[in-house]
Amino acid sequence: VQLVESGGGLVQAGGSLRLSCVASGRTFSSFFLGWFRQAAGKEREFVAGISRSGGGTYLADSVKGRFTISRDNAKNTVYLQMNSLKPEDAGVYYCAGDLLGGTYYDTREYESWGQGTQVTVSS
């Protein structure tokens, strides 16, 4: 699976961004997708995940109430809507696909990764 993210940029605290990730190479609706982020000097961390149908969504506690994950299987695209952004949300955001096991928040469980898109939040 090939994954390509877009939508990152610079935003003021309190602002919004919507990230997109387009997948190719396999039937899009056949795999679980996740969003992770990595701040400078920190480990990559889970942000959100979504089931194959889109009926199940999972969010890290730090983003609940502010971020929403969704997918459009007809467009082979998964989205991350980020509202009320905080400086601590800054980092490189990665799309991950094809969950190998059941632990959706573990980076080791994903087979495919995008190149990442930078999100910068100014205070």
Side-chain angles (χ1 to χ4, degrees), residues 68-81:
T68 304
I69 185 171
S70 62
R71 67 190 293 165
D72 186 336
N73 286 348
K75 296 182 178 179
N76 288 2
T77 304
V78 61
Y79 304 98
L80 185 67
Q81 177 67 44

Side-chain angles (χ1 to χ4, degrees), residues 24-41:
S24 61
R26 274 186 54 190
T27 303
F28 183 74
S29 59
S30 69
F31 50 90
F32 187 102
L33 287 153
W35 283 98
F36 288 75
R37 67 187 180 191
Q38 188 166 19

Side-chain angles (χ1 to χ4, degrees), residues 1-17:
V1 176
Q2 290 77 48
L3 303 168
V4 179
E5 304 97 332
S6 62
L10 171 64
V11 64
Q12 287 189 333
S16 299
L17 282 174

